[in-house]
Amino acid sequence: MNNLKTVAVYCGSAPGSLPVFADATRATAKAMVGRGVDLVYGGGRLGLMGLIADSVLELGGRVYGVIPQALVDIEVAHPSLTELHTVSNMHERKAKMTDLAHAFLCLPGGIGTLDEMFEAWSWNALGYHKKPFCLLNVEGYWDRLIEFIDHATESGFMSAQRRRQLLVAQSPEEALELLDEAAAAATQGMVW
C-alpha cells in the first residue's frame, strides 16, 4: 500500500446474524495488518467493532479509536487500543476519524455505519477531503443499498461522477487495492 497508512473502518456495534460477518471482519484485519495499514475505528469493544480492533491488535497492528464520552460513560470503550481519543459527540468523532484516516471502508453495520459512510461521502463530494471510500459487500449485504444509489443516479439526483466515487469490493484485499488506487488518483475539489 503506497497511499494508505490508515483506514477508517465503519462497521456494526452488533455481531450481525451470520457468522460470515465476523469472518469478513477478521479477514479485513488480516489484510490490513499484512499490508501495514493501521486501523481507525469508533473505539468500541462490542460487535464487529470490537472484533476488528481485537483482531488487528492480536496480529500486531495498531488501532486508533475515537469514541464519544457518552459511550465511555456506559463502558463500551475498548480498553486496550494503541490510542483512544475521547471526544464530546458524534460530530467530533466523525471529524477526528476523517482527520486520522487516509480512506474509509464499510463492513456490514446499521444506522451508525450508514451515517458515517454517507457523511464521509458528502464531505468528499463537497471537497472537504479527497479520501476514497468502499463498501465491503459481504454475502451481498450492501446489494440493496447499491441498487438504491443506482436508482438515485438514474433518477437524476446523483451525477455519474459522484456515483463512481462509491467503490464496492467483494473481498478485503480487493477493497484495499481499490482504496489505494483511488487515493493515488484523488484530486481535491467538489464532485457534482
Side-chain angles (χ1 to χ4, degrees), residues 37-183:
V37 177
D38 295 340
L39 171 65
V40 175
Y41 87 118
R45 62 176 176 78
L46 304 175
L48 298 183
M49 289 176 65
L51 180 59
I52 194 159
D54 289 340
S55 299
V56 168
L57 291 168
E58 288 169 8
L59 294 167
R62 290 185 296 271
V63 178
Y64 303 93
V66 184
I67 192 166
Q69 183 64 52
L71 295 178
V72 173
D73 292 344
I74 61 170
E75 300 180 354
V76 298
H78 196 293
S80 305
L81 304 180
T82 307
E83 203 171 289
L84 181 64
H85 301 268
T86 302
V87 296
S88 298
N89 55 53
M90 292 298 286
H91 296 293
E92 288 182 21
R93 178 196 226 178
K94 291 181 283 186
K96 182 68 173 177
M97 289 176 71
T98 298
D99 288 344
L100 293 172
H102 293 109
F104 309 93
L105 177 59
C106 297
L107 276 64
I111 193 159
T113 302
L114 290 168
D115 172 58
E116 290 168 325
M117 190 274 293
F118 279 114
E119 187 158 310
W121 193 355
S122 294
W123 289 3
N124 182 294
L126 292 169
Y128 297 159
H129 68 76
K130 61 179 186 172
K131 300 170 183 182
F133 41 93
C134 182
L135 298 175
L136 182 56
N137 198 18
V138 180
E139 291 291 314
Y141 183 80
W142 296 114
D143 284 351
R144 291 187 183 119
L145 177 64
I146 295 163
E147 288 174 18
F148 172 76
I149 290 170
D150 289 341
H151 171 69
T153 304
E154 292 162 7
S155 298
F157 291 102
M158 184 180 300
S159 70
Q161 183 181 6
R162 189 173 287 177
R163 168 59 185 92
R164 283 192 300 272
Q165 289 183 302
L166 181 63
L167 306 171
V168 179
Q170 304 304 314
S171 72
E173 296 79 11
E174 180 188 12
L176 292 174
E177 290 300 325
L178 288 172
L179 288 169
D180 191 54
E181 291 169 10

